[in-house]
Amino acid sequence: MSSYSDILYDVTGPVARIAHNRPQRRNAESRNLLDELSDALDRAVADPAVRVVVIAGEGDHFSAGHDLKEAQESRAHFTVEERWAYEEQRYYGYALKIWDLPKPTIAAVQGACVAGAFMVANMCDLVVASDDAFFGDPVAQTLACAAVEVLIHPWVMGTRRAKEMLFTGERMSAAEAYRIGMVNRVVPRADLEAEVQALGEKIATAQPFALKILKRSLNRTLDMQGLRTSLEAHFDTHQLSHMTEEFKAIRDKGLSAAIQKGGREGGHR
């Protein structure tokens, strides 16, 4: 793709910035947005001038997660095989592409970082959040689903805290995310972009091959503890939850309405 409609791609010095660009929809991740994001990641990897990749969001929010209005209109009655293939590629596969990217990645998070967006941000190597950012995965409460497709939660916040977030559907503030180690830095909203750019430039002073193999070793440390196996197992479980009568009843009433209701009712910690 030579140009994009749902993301922004720009390079400043050694840092490529890939931003969700649907602010009128709270940067909901449509099929096209995710395809463009994947293409932009390939573009950044192929550019030797790019040493660090930032994933961000335009406007008030990083992203409110998957575009459920689009899902309701185009995929609500997918067969098991169709849903599996779609989510294996665009949700699970694209998320793991970020995790495995051979260049360091930073998530720059402001406002909402919810559900599918939580996956995207937490696939990054580092997370920098504005002081008004919040994180959440309410889909067990709102959609009767077994969390989102990539269960990275216990790996980035610990199992007990992950259970609390997922069981209750409550939001986590940037301050709390920093306290438990899920977020590296919290800064004022006005300083977020400059802080992330400076961090990216600092990382880029290291040699790229050294960073590449260091990241592989760090990720393999988690793989040896079972990360990838557990993520694969949960993806299967998530697919099963789409087949339940509980989910079908919510789907038939409207996925978008359910998640909006959960957003209004979700508390903060």
Side-chain angles (χ1 to χ4, degrees):
M1 299 180 186
S2 58
S3 61
Y4 303 111
S5 60
D6 289 336
I7 67 162
L8 295 178
Y9 181 92
D10 61 82
V11 178
T12 302
V15 180
R17 182 176 182 269
I18 304 170
H20 298 67
N21 189 32
R22 302 181 76 207
Q24 73 284 1
R25 292 294 310 278
R26 299 178 77 211
N27 286 327
E29 294 170 342
S30 63
R31 174 177 184 155
N32 187 64
L33 185 150
L34 291 169
D35 287 346
E36 290 184 351
L37 173 61
S38 177
D39 184 87
L41 290 169
D42 292 338
R43 181 174 172 182
V45 169
D47 185 349
V50 171
R51 295 196 174 189
V52 176
V53 177
V54 171
I55 299 181
E58 293 295 294
D60 293 336
H61 302 285
F62 178 78
S63 171
H66 300 328
D67 187 336
L68 295 181
K69 182 178 180 181
E70 179 189 75
Q72 184 79 31
E73 293 171 350
S74 63
R75 302 191 299 279
H77 297 286
F78 266 12
T79 65
V80 173
E81 294 88 349
E82 289 170 334
R83 182 183 292 278
W84 188 292
Y86 183 91
E87 296 195 356
E88 184 179 42
Q89 177 187 357
R90 289 186 173 82
Y91 298 161
Y92 187 83
Y94 287 176
L96 268 291
K97 175 183 276 194
I98 300 170
W99 183 262
D100 292 326
L101 209 76
K103 298 180 179 182
T105 54
I106 306 170
V109 177
Q110 81 280 7
C113 181
V114 177
F118 183 96
M119 294 187 332
V120 169
N122 280 286
M123 290 292 104
C124 292
D125 299 311
L126 304 176
V127 180
V128 179
S130 66
D131 51 13
D132 65 344
F134 63 89
F135 303 84
D137 182 355
V139 301
Q141 285 275 344
T142 58
L143 299 179
C145 283
V148 285
E149 294 77 11
V150 181
L151 193 69
I152 193 64
H153 313 57
W155 297 92
V156 297
M157 67 173 69
T159 302
R160 291 195 184 281
R161 195 65 183 86
K163 286 179 177 179
E164 182 180 359
M165 170 189 273
L166 293 168
F167 291 174
T168 66
E170 290 180 346
R171 300 172 178 178
M172 179 183 292
S173 67
E176 174 68 2
Y178 176 76
R179 187 188 70 80
I180 66 173
M182 190 179 83
V183 164
N184 295 90
R185 302 180 184 183
V186 177
V187 299
R189 165 74 78 98
D191 298 338
L192 179 62
E193 189 168 344
E195 180 80 10
V196 171
Q197 180 68 27
L199 179 58
E201 291 177 359
K202 174 62 176 177
I203 292 169
T205 61
Q207 292 301 309
F209 186 70
L211 289 171
K212 176 180 177 178
I213 58 175
L214 174 58
K215 177 173 176 173
R216 283 168 65 90
S217 289
L218 290 167
N219 284 2
R220 281 172 170 165
T221 299
L222 295 177
D223 283 341
M224 285 185 279
Q225 296 174 54
L227 178 140
R228 201 167 301 255
T229 301
S230 74
L231 296 185
E232 290 174 353
H234 173 74
F235 179 77
D236 296 352
T237 300
H238 177 86
Q239 297 306 310
L240 174 62
S241 67
H242 284 306
M243 298 299 105
T244 66
E245 294 304 312
E246 296 170 336
F247 174 79
K248 291 175 183 177
I250 293 170
R251 177 201 64 196
D252 291 344
K253 292 179 181 178
L255 299 177
S256 183
I259 203 75
Q260 288 171 8
K261 179 176 182 290
R264 291 192 297 269
E265 296 177 354
H268 258 296
R269 287 294 300 275

